[in-house]
Amino acid sequence: MRTISFSQATLEAMQEEMRRDPTVFVYGEDIVRQGGIFGQFKGLPEEFGDRIRDVPISETAIVGAALGAALTGTRPVADMHFADFIGVAFDEIANQIAKNRYMFGGQANIPLVIRAPDGISKQAAAQHSQSVEGWVQNIPGLIVVAPSSPATAKGLLKSAIRQNDPVIFFEHKVLYPQKGPVPDGEYFTPIGKAEIRKPGTDVTLVTYSIMVQKSEEVAMELEKEGISVEIIDLLTLKPFDTATILESVKKTHRCVVAHEAVVSGGLGAEIAARIQEKAFFHLDAPVLRVGAKDRPIPFSPVLENYIAAQKDDIRKAIYAVLYREG
Amino acid sequence: MPYQKKEFPNRFTALQKDAMHNLLRTMIRIRTFESRVEELFLNKKIPGFVHLYIGEEAIATGVMANLRKDDWITSTHRGHGHAIAKGAQTDRMMAELFGRKTGYCKGKGGSMHIADFSVGMLGANGVVGGGFNIAVGAGISSLIKKTDQVAVCFFGDGASNRGTFHEALNLAAVWKLPVLFVNENNQYASTTPTSFATSAERIADRAKGYGIEGYTVDGNNVIEVYNAASALIEAARKGKGPALLECLTYRIKGHYVGDPEKYRTKEEVQKHFVENNPITRYINYLKDKNLITDAEIDAIQAEASSEIAAAERFAEESPFPEPEDALDDLFSFSPQEFPEAVR
Ligand SMILES: Cc1ncc(C[n+]2csc(CCOP(=O)(O)OP(=O)(O)O)c2C)c(N)n1
Ligand SMILES: [Mg+2]
């Protein structure tokens, strides 16, 4: 094991996949000259020449062309700069990319990856802070992943690039500089499989991306109070690993889902629905959701903190499903 | 890059001396505001992202001098200069940048979302190319309401490559909307030189494709900008339809405060700052023609400095919003009226 940053881990995934397969290429805005805002593309131009390209500010073209390129024998990785700009290419994602294989009766592989840096960071305000997995959750035909650590970032990005279907890769901006252990040698993090970050017996806490570490901190603190939390890191948000969740809930009988995105229409709603469909009689409490309040992300730090889900919200939800005062 | 010069009627010479001085005043107010904002950001008084307008002051100034208060503009992520020139107050702007309750957006927006609808400044925009069609909509509104209001859309060279550019210009052209599209070609879109990302030799050349007039001017010459905007805005107001005005300028500061700027040399920046500073150029012109005295220039500088110092004090002394204020302003109705809609 080595200790490297999240951005370095994604860079390694790109290097390994680009070395292995000359049809893998990456393009986006302002990624060549300064190596990406988080240094996640540093060194690729020197090694791979024009297989890494800067594009004009034309997200519709970036994402739309990724489909055309994927249909015709390459494996594009499109960088969105900020996940918020998925809005600019939403038709390309929702009506073209996601529907192509099915609508044409399974004629083509669609091996493309859309990298989408998301989340709240540095008071970037309403149009640069969103977690938009909810936007794409409702679209059949997409695979959506969200790593929580350097190790899962590398493993998931490699799997995403090898996948013959469109994958949206949400990478939280706060995670980029964070360091963590990463296995030596080649490995893959499987798409569709959740990982249990911490086994526990009292409450199942389903989470992903940046909220995994917040959940771990809360779980450590609660451990001291004798509350044993099992943390499930989803990793793949669509199609997510229902089996692992159900197995855990059947053991703990209680569940909280925590994400940074707004609660309404979020992933928590889908998870809660699946649990009550499949394990209703195992539940000792309603499934609770933790997420941002239903507002755009405001600029002022006071306001941003208030809207964003905090560790304390996770703690309170856990107390609530345990019917404890907190 | 060479371009065809268009001779617009020289309306500038018809201005009173006061109005000529006002152009200088606006440019200096913008420069002073921006210079202080840069320091405040570096001193961590201002959070978020800040994109400075330093070096581009002549464009907002020359265009806005031709607009009425009831005309509209749409702005960009680099919007402080547009706001000031359109008549926004620097104290409430500064308070917004500080995240205070007294700011234009009550602390919800910050630099990238500065707006003052009361003077027709319809908002900075965090999404590049997000303003084109808002300006088109304002133009439609002018037609529907049968007023003679005009909308001006400011946008960067980078933004001209968004698909929204095409849809907006075409619609404005076919409906003959009173919209002026003002391109601020500052040679860069973030790290990317304009020539690298833009196929047309001149962004103004694209006007041909929409059957509208398109011109390129020296965007660091406030007189040229003023004269061109004057002619094109008047035409738009009279129902002659939209036009595209490309203003050549140069982004003196990094893309945002804190940009490592690895994509260009310090010498390149310095050369532009020394040789092509719109404020110095205009002062030299006015002095040459005996249209301003040193004492008058000093007075304008001093006024601007004290205005911006006062703006900063106002911001500093203003309270932060209450956390719960974050819940307000989502809809026209209050949470009490319709709790389910605003959980
Ligand atoms: C749709 C969209 N894509 C990308 C970005 C990121 N971004 C912000 S400003 C910018 C460059 C804009 O260049 P230009 O339009 O020339 O304006 P300038 O910054 O030079 O004033 C980019 C790429 C964005 N905010 N919105
Ligand atoms: Mg530019």
Side-chain angles (χ1 to χ4, degrees), chain A residues 29-30 37 55-59 62 80-82 84-86 88 127-128, chain B residues 51-53 56 76-78 82 112 125-130 155-162 183-192 194 203 251 254-256:
Chain A
E29 290 161 21
D30 302 297
I37 313 181
V55 256
I57 306 177
S58 306
E59 287 79 7
I62 296 172
M80 292 309 296
H81 211 43
F82 282 82
D84 310 69
F85 308 150
I86 277 180
V88 171
Q127 295 172 335
H128 286 77
Chain B
H51 305 82
L52 299 174
Y53 199 60
E56 309 183 27
T76 68
H77 54 285
R78 204 176 296 292
H82 305 142
M112 257 192 299
N125 212 311
V127 180
V128 170
F155 66 102
D157 44 284
S160 74
N161 298 319
R162 276 286 318 276
N183 175 242
E184 302 180 311
N185 186 344
N186 61 7
Q187 323 280 334
Y188 288 94
S190 190
T191 68
T192 307
T194 311
I203 288 169
R251 197 190 71 219
H255 172 54
Y256 56 93

Coordinates of all heavy atoms in Angstrom, one line a residue, chain A residues 29-30 37 55-59 62 80-82 84-86 88 127-128, chain B residues 51-53 56 76-78 82 112 125-130 155-162 183-192 194 203 251 254-256, ligand 1:
Chain A
E29 N -12.4 21.3 -20.5 CA -11.9 22.7 -20.6 C -10.8 22.9 -19.6 O -10.8 22.5 -18.5 CB -13.1 23.6 -20.2 CG -14.2 23.6 -21.3 CD -15.5 24.1 -20.8 OE1 -15.6 24.8 -19.8 OE2 -16.5 23.8 -21.4
D30 N -9.7 23.6 -20.1 CA -8.6 24.0 -19.3 C -8.0 22.9 -18.5 O -7.6 23.0 -17.4 CB -9.1 25.1 -18.3 CG -9.7 26.3 -19.1 OD1 -8.9 26.9 -19.9 OD2 -10.9 26.5 -19.0
I37 N -7.9 21.8 -12.5 CA -8.0 22.7 -11.3 C -7.3 22.0 -10.1 O -6.8 22.6 -9.2 CB -9.4 23.1 -10.9 CG1 -10.2 23.5 -12.2 CG2 -9.5 24.2 -9.9 CD1 -11.6 23.9 -11.9
V55 N -10.9 21.8 -24.8 CA -12.0 22.1 -25.8 C -12.5 23.5 -25.5 O -12.3 24.0 -24.4 CB -13.1 21.2 -25.6 CG1 -13.2 20.2 -26.7 CG2 -13.1 20.4 -24.3
P56 N -13.0 24.2 -26.5 CA -13.7 25.4 -26.2 C -14.8 25.2 -25.2 O -15.2 24.1 -24.9 CB -14.3 25.8 -27.6 CG -13.5 25.0 -28.6 CD -13.1 23.8 -27.9
I57 N -15.4 26.4 -24.7 CA -16.4 26.3 -23.7 C -17.7 25.8 -24.4 O -18.5 26.6 -24.9 CB -16.6 27.6 -23.0 CG1 -15.3 28.1 -22.4 CG2 -17.7 27.5 -21.9 CD1 -15.4 29.4 -21.7
S58 N -17.8 24.5 -24.6 CA -18.9 24.0 -25.4 C -19.3 22.6 -24.8 O -19.0 21.6 -25.4 CB -18.4 23.8 -26.9 OG -17.9 25.0 -27.4
E59 N -19.9 22.6 -23.7 CA -20.2 21.4 -23.0 C -21.1 20.5 -23.8 O -21.1 19.3 -23.8 CB -20.8 21.6 -21.6 CG -19.9 22.1 -20.6 CD -19.6 23.6 -20.7 OE1 -20.2 24.3 -21.5 OE2 -18.7 24.1 -20.0
I62 N -18.9 18.7 -26.0 CA -18.0 17.8 -25.3 C -18.8 16.5 -25.0 O -18.3 15.4 -25.3 CB -17.5 18.4 -24.0 CG1 -16.7 19.6 -24.2 CG2 -16.8 17.3 -23.1 CD1 -16.3 20.4 -23.0
M80 N -16.2 17.4 -17.1 CA -17.2 18.5 -17.1 C -16.7 19.7 -16.3 O -17.5 20.7 -16.2 CB -18.5 18.0 -16.4 CG -19.3 17.0 -17.1 SD -19.6 17.4 -18.8 CE -20.7 18.8 -18.6
H81 N -15.5 19.7 -15.7 CA -15.0 20.9 -15.0 C -15.8 21.1 -13.7 O -15.2 21.1 -12.6 CB -15.3 22.1 -15.9 CG -14.3 23.2 -15.8 ND1 -13.0 23.0 -15.7 CD2 -14.5 24.6 -15.8 CE1 -12.4 24.2 -15.6 NE2 -13.2 25.1 -15.6
F82 N -17.1 21.3 -13.7 CA -17.9 21.3 -12.6 C -19.2 20.5 -12.9 O -19.7 20.6 -14.0 CB -18.4 22.7 -12.2 CG -17.3 23.5 -11.5 CD1 -16.3 24.2 -12.2 CD2 -17.3 23.6 -10.1 CE1 -15.4 24.9 -11.6 CE2 -16.4 24.4 -9.5 CZ -15.4 25.0 -10.2
D84 N -22.0 20.9 -12.1 CA -23.2 21.8 -12.3 C -23.4 22.0 -13.8 O -24.5 22.2 -14.3 CB -22.9 23.2 -11.7 CG -22.4 23.1 -10.3 OD1 -21.3 22.6 -10.0 OD2 -23.2 23.4 -9.4
F85 N -22.3 21.9 -14.6 CA -22.4 22.2 -16.1 C -23.0 21.0 -16.8 O -23.2 21.1 -18.0 CB -21.1 22.6 -16.6 CG -20.4 23.7 -15.9 CD1 -19.0 23.9 -15.8 CD2 -21.2 24.7 -15.2 CE1 -18.5 24.9 -15.1 CE2 -20.6 25.7 -14.4 CZ -19.2 25.8 -14.4
I86 N -23.3 19.9 -16.1 CA -24.1 18.8 -16.7 C -25.4 19.4 -17.3 O -25.9 19.0 -18.3 CB -24.3 17.7 -15.7 CG1 -23.1 16.8 -15.6 CG2 -25.6 16.9 -16.1 CD1 -23.2 15.7 -14.6
V88 N -25.8 22.0 -18.9 CA -25.6 22.5 -20.3 C -25.7 21.4 -21.3 O -26.1 21.6 -22.5 CB -24.2 23.2 -20.4 CG1 -23.9 23.5 -21.8 CG2 -24.2 24.4 -19.5
Q127 N -24.2 28.0 -8.3 CA -24.0 27.3 -9.6 C -22.7 26.5 -9.7 O -22.3 26.0 -10.8 CB -24.1 28.3 -10.8 CG -25.5 28.9 -10.9 CD -25.6 30.1 -11.9 OE1 -24.6 30.8 -12.1 NE2 -26.8 30.4 -12.4
H128 N -22.0 26.4 -8.6 CA -20.7 25.7 -8.6 C -20.6 24.8 -7.4 O -19.4 24.6 -6.9 CB -19.5 26.7 -8.6 CG -19.3 27.4 -9.9 ND1 -20.1 28.4 -10.4 CD2 -18.4 27.2 -10.9 CE1 -19.6 28.8 -11.5 NE2 -18.6 28.1 -11.9
Chain B
H51 N -13.5 37.1 -9.9 CA -12.9 37.4 -11.3 C -12.9 38.9 -11.5 O -13.9 39.5 -11.4 CB -13.8 36.7 -12.3 CG -14.0 35.2 -12.1 ND1 -14.9 34.7 -11.3 CD2 -13.3 34.2 -12.7 CE1 -14.9 33.4 -11.3 NE2 -13.9 33.0 -12.1
L52 N -11.7 39.4 -11.7 CA -11.5 40.9 -11.8 C -11.6 41.4 -13.2 O -11.3 40.8 -14.2 CB -10.2 41.3 -11.1 CG -10.0 40.9 -9.7 CD1 -8.6 41.2 -9.2 CD2 -11.0 41.6 -8.8
Y53 N -12.1 42.7 -13.3 CA -12.4 43.3 -14.5 C -11.2 44.3 -14.9 O -11.4 45.1 -15.8 CB -13.7 44.1 -14.4 CG -14.4 44.5 -15.7 CD1 -14.8 43.5 -16.6 CD2 -14.7 45.8 -15.9 CE1 -15.4 43.9 -17.8 CE2 -15.3 46.2 -17.1 CZ -15.7 45.2 -18.0 OH -16.4 45.6 -19.2
E56 N -10.3 46.1 -18.4 CA -11.4 46.0 -19.3 C -12.4 47.1 -19.1 O -13.5 47.1 -19.6 CB -12.0 44.6 -19.2 CG -11.0 43.5 -19.3 CD -11.6 42.1 -19.3 OE1 -12.7 41.9 -19.7 OE2 -10.9 41.1 -18.9
T76 N -21.6 38.6 -16.7 CA -20.9 37.4 -16.6 C -20.3 37.1 -15.2 O -20.6 37.9 -14.3 CB -19.7 37.5 -17.6 OG1 -18.7 38.4 -17.0 CG2 -20.1 37.9 -19.0
H77 N -19.5 36.1 -15.1 CA -18.8 35.8 -13.9 C -17.8 37.0 -13.5 O -17.4 37.1 -12.4 CB -18.0 34.5 -14.0 CG -17.1 34.5 -15.2 ND1 -17.5 34.4 -16.5 CD2 -15.7 34.7 -15.3 CE1 -16.5 34.4 -17.3 NE2 -15.4 34.7 -16.6
R78 N -17.5 37.8 -14.5 CA -16.6 38.9 -14.3 C -17.4 40.2 -14.3 O -17.3 41.1 -15.1 CB -15.6 39.0 -15.5 CG -14.3 39.7 -15.2 CD -13.3 39.5 -16.4 NE -12.9 38.2 -16.7 CZ -12.1 37.4 -15.9 NH1 -11.7 37.9 -14.7 NH2 -11.8 36.2 -16.2
H82 N -19.5 45.7 -14.8 CA -20.8 45.9 -15.4 C -21.8 46.5 -14.4 O -22.5 47.4 -14.7 CB -21.4 44.6 -16.0 CG -20.5 43.9 -16.9 ND1 -20.3 42.5 -16.9 CD2 -19.6 44.4 -17.9 CE1 -19.5 42.2 -17.9 NE2 -19.0 43.3 -18.4
M112 N -19.9 36.0 -8.0 CA -20.3 35.4 -9.2 C -21.8 35.6 -9.5 O -22.3 35.3 -10.6 CB -20.0 33.9 -9.3 CG -18.8 33.6 -10.1 SD -18.6 31.9 -10.4 CE -18.4 31.2 -8.8
N125 N -23.3 35.8 -13.8 CA -23.7 34.5 -14.1 C -22.5 33.5 -13.9 O -21.4 33.7 -14.4 CB -24.2 34.4 -15.5 CG -25.3 33.3 -15.6 OD1 -25.1 32.2 -15.2 ND2 -26.4 33.7 -16.3
G126 N -22.8 32.5 -13.1 CA -21.7 31.5 -12.9 C -21.6 30.5 -14.0 O -20.6 29.8 -14.1
V127 N -22.6 30.5 -14.9 CA -22.5 29.6 -16.0 C -22.2 30.4 -17.3 O -22.9 31.3 -17.7 CB -23.9 28.9 -16.2 CG1 -23.8 27.9 -17.4 CG2 -24.3 28.1 -15.0
V128 N -21.0 30.1 -17.8 CA -20.6 30.9 -19.0 C -21.6 30.7 -20.1 O -22.0 29.6 -20.4 CB -19.2 30.4 -19.4 CG1 -18.8 31.0 -20.8 CG2 -18.2 30.8 -18.4
G129 N -22.0 31.8 -20.7 CA -23.0 31.7 -21.8 C -24.4 31.7 -21.3 O -25.3 31.5 -22.1
G130 N -24.6 31.8 -20.0 CA -25.9 31.8 -19.4 C -26.7 33.0 -19.7 O -28.0 33.0 -19.5
F155 N -20.5 39.3 -22.9 CA -20.1 37.9 -22.9 C -18.6 37.9 -23.3 O -18.1 38.7 -24.0 CB -21.0 37.1 -23.8 CG -20.9 37.4 -25.2 CD1 -20.1 36.6 -26.1 CD2 -21.6 38.5 -25.7 CE1 -20.1 36.9 -27.4 CE2 -21.5 38.8 -27.1 CZ -20.7 38.0 -28.0
G156 N -17.9 36.8 -22.9 CA -16.5 36.7 -23.2 C -16.3 36.0 -24.5 O -17.2 35.5 -25.1
D157 N -15.0 36.0 -24.9 CA -14.6 35.3 -26.1 C -14.9 33.8 -25.9 O -15.3 33.1 -26.8 CB -13.1 35.5 -26.4 CG -12.3 35.4 -25.1 OD1 -12.3 36.3 -24.3 OD2 -11.6 34.3 -24.9
G158 N -14.6 33.3 -24.7 CA -14.9 31.9 -24.4 C -16.4 31.6 -24.5 O -16.8 30.6 -25.1
A159 N -17.2 32.5 -24.0 CA -18.7 32.3 -24.1 C -19.2 32.2 -25.5 O -20.2 31.6 -25.7 CB -19.4 33.4 -23.3
S160 N -18.5 32.8 -26.4 CA -19.0 32.8 -27.8 C -19.0 31.4 -28.4 O -19.5 31.2 -29.5 CB -18.2 33.8 -28.7 OG -16.9 33.2 -28.9
N161 N -18.4 30.5 -27.7 CA -18.3 29.1 -28.2 C -19.4 28.2 -27.6 O -19.5 27.1 -27.9 CB -17.0 28.5 -28.0 CG -15.9 29.3 -28.7 OD1 -16.1 29.7 -29.9 ND2 -14.8 29.5 -28.1
R162 N -20.2 28.8 -26.8 CA -21.4 28.1 -26.2 C -22.5 28.0 -27.3 O -22.7 28.9 -28.1 CB -21.9 28.8 -25.0 CG -21.2 28.5 -23.7 CD -21.6 27.1 -23.1 NE -23.0 26.7 -23.2 CZ -23.9 27.1 -22.4 NH1 -23.6 27.7 -21.3 NH2 -25.2 26.7 -22.6
N183 N -19.3 41.6 -27.0 CA -18.2 40.6 -26.7 C -17.0 41.3 -26.1 O -16.5 42.2 -26.7 CB -17.8 39.9 -28.0 CG -16.7 38.9 -27.8 OD1 -15.6 39.1 -28.3 ND2 -16.9 38.0 -26.9
E184 N -16.6 40.8 -25.0 CA -15.4 41.3 -24.4 C -14.3 40.3 -24.7 O -14.1 39.3 -24.0 CB -15.6 41.4 -22.8 CG -16.7 42.4 -22.6 CD -17.0 42.6 -21.1 OE1 -17.1 41.6 -20.3 OE2 -17.2 43.7 -20.7
N185 N -13.6 40.6 -25.7 CA -12.5 39.6 -26.2 C -11.2 40.0 -25.5 O -10.4 40.8 -25.9 CB -12.4 39.6 -27.7 CG -11.4 38.6 -28.1 OD1 -10.6 38.0 -27.4 ND2 -11.4 38.3 -29.4
N186 N -11.0 39.3 -24.3 CA -9.8 39.7 -23.5 C -8.7 38.7 -23.7 O -7.8 38.5 -22.9 CB -10.2 39.8 -22.0 CG -10.7 38.4 -21.5 OD1 -10.7 37.4 -22.2 ND2 -11.2 38.5 -20.2
Q187 N -8.7 38.0 -24.8 CA -7.6 37.1 -25.3 C -7.6 35.7 -24.7 O -6.9 34.9 -25.1 CB -6.3 37.7 -25.2 CG -6.2 39.2 -25.5 CD -6.2 39.6 -27.0 OE1 -5.7 38.8 -27.8 NE2 -6.7 40.7 -27.3
Y188 N -8.3 35.6 -23.6 CA -8.2 34.3 -22.9 C -9.6 33.9 -22.3 O -10.4 34.7 -22.0 CB -7.3 34.4 -21.6 CG -5.8 34.5 -22.0 CD1 -5.2 35.7 -22.1 CD2 -5.1 33.3 -22.2 CE1 -3.8 35.7 -22.5 CE2 -3.8 33.4 -22.6 CZ -3.1 34.6 -22.7 OH -1.8 34.6 -23.1
A189 N -9.8 32.6 -22.3 CA -10.9 32.0 -21.6 C -10.2 31.1 -20.6 O -9.7 30.1 -20.9 CB -11.8 31.2 -22.5
S190 N -10.1 31.6 -19.4 CA -9.4 30.9 -18.3 C -7.9 30.6 -18.8 O -7.3 31.6 -19.1 CB -10.1 29.6 -18.0 OG -9.5 29.0 -16.8
T191 N -7.5 29.4 -19.1 CA -6.1 29.2 -19.5 C -6.0 29.2 -21.0 O -4.9 29.0 -21.6 CB -5.6 27.8 -19.0 OG1 -6.3 26.8 -19.7 CG2 -5.8 27.6 -17.5
T192 N -7.1 29.3 -21.7 CA -7.2 29.0 -23.2 C -7.1 30.3 -24.0 O -8.1 31.1 -23.9 CB -8.4 28.2 -23.5 OG1 -8.5 27.1 -22.6 CG2 -8.4 27.8 -24.9
T194 N -7.8 32.8 -27.0 CA -9.0 32.9 -27.8 C -8.7 32.2 -29.2 O -9.5 31.4 -29.7 CB -9.3 34.4 -28.1 OG1 -9.3 35.1 -26.9 CG2 -10.6 34.5 -28.8
I203 N -14.5 37.4 -33.8 CA -15.8 37.0 -33.3 C -16.9 37.8 -33.9 O -18.0 37.3 -34.2 CB -15.9 37.1 -31.7 CG1 -15.0 36.0 -31.2 CG2 -17.3 37.0 -31.2 CD1 -14.7 36.1 -29.7
R251 N -7.1 40.7 -20.5 CA -7.3 40.4 -19.1 C -6.0 40.6 -18.3 O -5.1 39.7 -18.4 CB -7.9 39.0 -18.9 CG -8.5 38.8 -17.6 CD -8.8 37.3 -17.4 NE -7.6 36.5 -17.2 CZ -7.3 35.3 -17.6 NH1 -8.2 34.7 -18.3 NH2 -6.1 34.8 -17.4
G254 N -5.2 37.5 -13.3 CA -5.4 36.0 -13.6 C -6.9 35.8 -13.9 O -7.7 36.7 -13.6
H255 N -7.2 34.6 -14.3 CA -8.7 34.4 -14.6 C -9.5 34.6 -13.3 O -10.6 35.2 -13.4 CB -8.8 32.9 -15.1 CG -10.3 32.5 -15.2 ND1 -11.2 33.2 -15.9 CD2 -10.9 31.4 -14.6 CE1 -12.4 32.6 -15.8 NE2 -12.2 31.6 -15.0
Y256 N -9.0 34.1 -12.2 CA -9.6 34.4 -10.9 C -8.5 34.8 -10.0 O -7.3 34.6 -10.3 CB -10.4 33.2 -10.4 CG -9.5 32.0 -10.3 CD1 -8.8 31.6 -9.1 CD2 -9.3 31.1 -11.4 CE1 -8.0 30.5 -9.0 CE2 -8.4 30.0 -11.3 CZ -7.8 29.7 -10.1 OH -7.0 28.6 -10.0
Ligands
LIG1 C1 -20.9 26.5 -18.9 C2 -19.6 26.7 -18.2 N1 -18.5 26.1 -18.6 C3 -17.3 26.3 -18.0 C4 -17.3 27.2 -16.9 C5 -16.0 27.5 -16.2 N2 -15.4 28.8 -16.6 C6 -15.7 29.9 -15.9 S1 -15.2 31.3 -16.6 C7 -14.5 30.4 -17.9 C8 -13.8 31.2 -18.9 C9 -14.6 32.2 -19.6 O1 -14.0 32.8 -20.6 P1 -14.6 34.1 -21.3 O2 -16.0 33.8 -21.7 O3 -13.6 34.5 -22.4 O4 -14.7 35.2 -20.2 P2 -13.5 35.8 -19.3 O5 -13.3 35.0 -18.2 O6 -12.3 35.9 -20.2 O7 -14.0 37.2 -19.0 C10 -14.7 29.0 -17.7 C11 -14.2 28.0 -18.7 C12 -18.5 27.9 -16.5 N3 -18.5 28.7 -15.5 N4 -19.6 27.6 -17.2

